[in-house]
Amino acid sequence: MGHFDLPDPEFYPKWPSRVLIAPQTRKLELLQMRQLILDLLPEERPRFENFVVGSNGEALTGLASWLAPANREPLFFLCGEAGAGKSHLLQASEAAYTDARVDPDLSGMSPCAPNDSAYAVDNVEALSACGQISLFNLINRLSASGGRLLAAASVPPRQLVLREDLRTRLGSSLVYRLQPLSDAEKLAALGEQARARGLTLPPDALAYLFLRAPRDMRSLSALLMAIDRYSLEHKRPLTLSLLREVLQAPLQL
């Protein structure tokens, strides 16, 4: 058989290393961005100070007056569509909070717990039959003991599909409707949050974020923080290009 020498390795074709490693590196970066968006960072605790008021100044003033120690009105009711801020205000009140969508029977609520004279029950329209009885009994106990209940639903008490005695009790509350923020109010709030964090955003960045992200303020605020964190961790300026990468990452995977 004939014999031949192998070519010197020096003469092998030199393929750019980035052709081999760039796809994996890119995928890793996208995975990191996707995880960042999924996590959206630990959410800032709901407080009255970080509630975007918009046209809800009257409702917020009414709630603050109701929460004052000297107030003796037992019931306060907030209604409004999803994203209007009901859950934010209920949690900011620091009352013992229960979400009826998570616990429709109110089984996790402990009316005998010490120092819990104020309760907040969210999404009362999701209460089960057992939960409705529990809430009715709780209202009676709080009325007798001087405690208070803050409740919320998507519609006013008279429109709730609940047992009549509970609906009547809730209907005796101070009732305020929360109005959702307008697009202009959301953009203004995002701009203020960016300035408070010392962010320098490129022109049209907020408009780009607003058009391609969920429209509720909690998601928008969390995304703004996530993008800021990603920019700092990767030592990349916050440009419109970076914004596109972060927002499109879940769609590219």
Side-chain angles (χ1 to χ4, degrees):
M1 297 180 62
H3 175 77
F4 61 90
D5 294 327
L6 291 172
D8 190 317
E10 187 65 23
F11 294 100
Y12 286 172
K14 300 297 192 296
W15 300 104
S17 59
R18 62 183 177 87
V19 173
L20 298 176
I21 65 174
Q24 185 63 31
T25 302
R26 174 64 174 162
K27 185 175 182 180
L28 179 59
E29 287 186 354
L30 290 175
L31 283 169
Q32 290 172 336
M33 285 188 285
R34 183 180 187 184
Q35 187 60 50
L36 189 62
I37 290 178
L38 290 175
D39 292 344
L40 291 180
L41 304 181
E43 289 187 15
E44 187 178 6
R45 184 177 64 85
R47 295 177 290 110
F48 292 123
E49 292 78 11
N50 59 22
F51 179 74
V52 182
V53 179
S55 58
N56 294 307
E58 182 180 355
L60 195 62
T61 299
L63 179 57
S65 297
W66 182 80
L67 289 169
N71 178 60
R72 291 294 178 266
E73 191 71 34
L75 305 174
F76 193 100
F77 196 98
L78 288 171
C79 61
E81 63 185 65
K86 304 184 300 296
S87 299
H88 185 115
L89 291 178
L90 262 63
Q91 293 176 61
S93 73
E94 298 187 352
Y97 177 83
T98 302
D99 187 344
R101 289 180 305 184
V102 178
D103 183 9
D105 292 340
L106 300 185
S107 57
M109 194 167 59
S110 176
C112 298
N115 302 320
D116 279 347
S117 59
Y119 289 80
V121 179
D122 206 354
N123 300 298
V124 297
E125 65 266 49
L127 287 170
S128 66
C130 180
Q132 292 177 47
I133 295 173
S134 295
L135 184 58
F136 180 78
N137 292 335
L138 174 66
I139 292 173
N140 288 339
R141 284 194 294 269
L142 292 176
S143 297
S145 65
R148 290 183 284 182
L149 172 72
L150 174 59
S154 58
V155 296
R158 56 186 170 81
Q159 297 179 23
L160 289 170
V161 183
L162 300 173
R163 49 185 287 167
E164 185 60 31
D165 54 0
L166 176 59
R167 186 169 55 191
T168 300
R169 287 297 178 91
L170 292 174
S172 68
S173 308
L174 295 172
V175 180
Y176 285 84
R177 178 180 290 277
L178 291 179
Q179 301 297 330
L181 296 175
S182 67
D183 289 353
E185 288 171 334
K186 290 177 183 178
L187 279 172
L190 277 178
E192 182 59 35
Q193 290 177 16
R195 285 189 291 274
R197 295 178 64 86
L199 291 179
T200 302
L201 297 173
D204 301 326
L206 287 179
Y208 184 90
L209 175 65
F210 187 73
L211 289 174
R212 288 161 178 80
R215 291 296 186 92
D216 64 285
M217 279 304 302
R218 177 175 294 183
S219 296
L220 287 168
S221 300
L223 273 170
L224 187 66
M225 289 190 293
I227 292 164
D228 180 31
R229 176 177 168 182
Y230 185 84
S231 172
L232 292 172
E233 288 183 349
H234 290 77
K235 297 181 173 60
R236 294 176 58 187
L238 209 167
T239 61
L240 199 55
S241 175
L242 178 67
L243 200 59
R244 289 193 185 101
E245 285 184 19
V246 174
L247 291 180
Q248 292 174 4
L251 301 179
Q252 295 177 26
L253 292 174

